[in-house]
């Protein structure tokens, strides 16, 4: 093996994805997820959709230029005769038609194909005919980190650039709700900063303290919050003990809330490229979960993203069928 080979390249033959495999296994036991796939016009996005369909995870509707989709399927030597295709001339139209399928109740989630994230999200957040709710839209990575027992949720590393304290309330709540959908028994949320003490010169520490107090007062529900915490104090019990931090979160957080998009992006990519982690992406806060994949994602990561969306949709279905009190 060449000395310059990356960690991911080195680990490909032996790397197991136990956490993702568990997620996919649970999702396969659920009702198939109806997915509107926007513009699946390259090999990686279409192949993942076909794989998820064959595994029984999803019931996809492919939205995009019919001829291009069929050409990609032919290139892959995959049979898509069982799949529904809705013709759309280009990526913008595909995004809008996919959103329309959700609004019409014909799909329970959206999935990004080979179009830019901005194109898909523009259709989602449009004021007329979009999928907005009262909740702020945010992104979560559900990360499979080698050596870490459970999936690790990182938010927000893709949507909100420099969120305000008010916006962070929704970002935290979205992540907590995701944790419950993933069947995490106790959602432990670490509000990250560069240190574990409140310092008025570092705004993220002040916001972390405010978010924790909001949770105490019931403004954020369903999870246990602590912060500010530095990354080591959030995920390593030994580091937390050295600093004499005693809380149910320190050293065992399963949700990491970053100060801004730059920090989240660097954290997720550091884990991916230096620790051989995988990052399944999901967008929350809209009417339905949105499966947000990257062109660099492996097949198991794309399948895990579908599984995460399936678990969220199952939680939403359960809420709709609860009897009125």
């Amino acid at each position: 093996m060449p000395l310059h080979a990356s960690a991911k390249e080195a680990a490909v033959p032996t790397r197991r994805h136990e956490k993702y495999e568990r997620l996919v296994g649970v999702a396969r036991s659920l009702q198939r997820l109806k997915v509107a796939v926007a513009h699946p016009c390259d090999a990686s996005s279409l192949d993942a959709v076909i794989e998820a369909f064959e595994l029984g995870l999803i019931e996809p509707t492919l939205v995009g230029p019919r001829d291009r989709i069929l050409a990609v399927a032919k290139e892959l030597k995959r049979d898509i005769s069982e799949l529904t295709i809705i013709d759309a001339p280009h990526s913008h139209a595909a995004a809008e038609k996919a959103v329309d399928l959700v609004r019409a109740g014909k799909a329970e989630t959206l999935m990004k194909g080979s179009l830019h994230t901005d194109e898909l999200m523009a259709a989602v957040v449009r004021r007329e005919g979009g999928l907005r709710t009262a909740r702020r839209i945010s992104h979560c990575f559900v990360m499979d980190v080698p050596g870490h027992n459970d999936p690790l949720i990182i938010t927000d590393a893709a949507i909100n650039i420099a969120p305000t304290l008010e916006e962070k309330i929704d970002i935290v709540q979205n992540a907590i709700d995701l944790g419950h959908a993933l069947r995490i028994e106790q959602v432990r949320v670490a509000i990250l900063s560069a240190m574990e003490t409140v310092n008025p010169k570092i705004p993220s520490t002040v916001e972390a303290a405010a978010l924790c107090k909001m949770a105490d007062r019931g403004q954020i529900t369903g999870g246990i919050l602590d912060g500010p915490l530095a990354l080591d104090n959030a995920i390593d019990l030994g580091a937390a003990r050295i600093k004499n931090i005693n809380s149910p979160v320190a050293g065992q957080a399963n949700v990491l809330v970053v100060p801004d998009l730059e920090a989240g992006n660097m954290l997720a990519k550091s884990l991916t490229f230096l620790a051989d982690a995988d990052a399944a992406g999901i967008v929350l806060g809209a009417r339905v979960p949105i499966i947000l994949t990257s062109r660099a994602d492996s097949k198991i990561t794309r399948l895990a993203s579908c599984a995460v969306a399936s678990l969220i949709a199952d939680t939403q279905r359960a809420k709709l069928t609860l009897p009125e009190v």
Side-chain angles (χ1 to χ4, degrees):
M1 181 181 296
L3 292 176
H4 62 271
S6 71
K8 288 193 101 45
E9 290 172 333
V12 166
T14 58
R15 169 83 161 94
R16 289 293 307 276
H17 301 83
E18 295 90 347
K19 292 171 277 294
Y20 281 177
E21 288 166 3
R22 289 200 300 267
L23 285 175
V24 171
V26 173
R28 289 183 69 184
S29 70
L30 304 175
Q31 177 182 323
R32 277 183 185 260
L33 182 67
K34 295 179 181 178
V35 181
V37 188
H39 207 255
C41 294
D42 67 358
S44 58
S45 61
L46 184 59
D47 195 41
V49 170
I50 297 168
E51 183 83 9
F53 170 71
E54 291 176 346
L55 281 173
L57 286 175
I58 66 173
E59 191 69 47
T61 299
L62 311 179
V63 187
R66 180 184 296 273
D67 291 343
R68 285 183 63 185
I69 293 171
L70 292 173
V72 174
K74 184 177 181 180
E75 175 191 326
L76 290 168
K77 298 180 180 178
R78 303 296 295 267
D79 179 13
I80 60 170
S81 59
E82 292 184 61
L83 305 186
T84 300
I85 301 176
I86 294 180
D87 195 32
H90 46 69
S91 55
H92 287 286
E96 291 180 0
K97 285 191 176 185
V99 167
D100 291 342
L101 286 175
V102 172
R103 289 179 60 83
K106 296 179 180 178
E108 299 170 285
T109 190
L110 293 176
M111 184 174 182
K112 176 179 174 286
S114 56
L115 75 173
H116 291 294
T117 299
D118 288 350
E119 292 180 271
L120 182 62
M121 294 310 299
V124 169
V125 302
R126 67 189 181 196
R127 297 200 176 276
E128 296 297 328
L131 299 174
R132 286 174 176 265
T133 68
R135 187 81 67 84
R136 179 82 179 180
I137 289 175
S138 63
H139 177 273
C140 287
F141 277 127
V142 180
M143 304 207 66
D144 183 339
V145 183
H148 201 77
N149 290 333
D150 299 307
L152 190 62
I153 297 170
I154 296 176
T155 188
D156 180 336
I159 298 290
N160 296 283
I161 298 172
T164 64
L165 175 60
E166 185 177 12
E167 291 164 349
K168 284 182 180 179
I169 297 170
D170 284 346
I171 290 170
V172 172
Q173 192 65 64
N174 285 341
I176 292 171
D177 292 348
L178 172 60
H180 288 298
L182 296 182
R183 316 299 202 256
I184 295 174
E185 188 173 332
Q186 192 175 63
V187 182
R188 297 182 293 271
V189 182
I191 315 297
L192 296 185
S193 186
M195 59 185 65
E196 67 282 352
T197 54
V198 177
N199 184 336
K201 294 180 180 179
I202 303 179
S204 61
T205 67
V206 179
E207 291 184 348
L211 289 166
C212 292
K213 181 51 66 176
M214 288 176 182
D216 291 343
R217 299 290 167 84
Q219 292 172 266
I220 299 170
T221 61
I224 303 171
L225 274 64
D226 194 12
L229 289 171
L231 178 61
D232 56 343
N233 303 324
I235 61 173
D236 186 89
L237 278 169
R241 290 192 185 107
I242 289 170
K243 291 291 185 73
N244 294 315
I245 304 171
N246 297 307
S247 86
V249 175
Q252 50 189 342
N254 43 40
V255 175
L256 303 178
V257 179
V258 297
D260 54 34
L261 183 144
E262 291 174 306
N265 187 278
M266 284 184 260
L267 173 57
K269 287 183 177 176
S270 295
L271 289 171
T272 299
F273 289 97
L274 297 177
D276 194 32
D278 289 288
I282 198 81
V283 172
L284 306 164
R287 290 191 191 182
V288 297
I290 301 163
I291 302 167
L292 205 61
T293 56
S294 166
R295 284 172 292 181
D297 285 347
S298 64
K299 186 179 291 186
I300 185 62
T301 300
R302 290 174 185 266
L303 292 176
S305 296
C306 291
V308 169
S310 182
L311 289 163
I312 296 168
D314 184 65
T315 300
Q316 292 176 338
R317 291 187 205 113
K319 288 179 180 178
L320 289 174
T321 57
L322 285 174
E324 292 186 10
V325 178

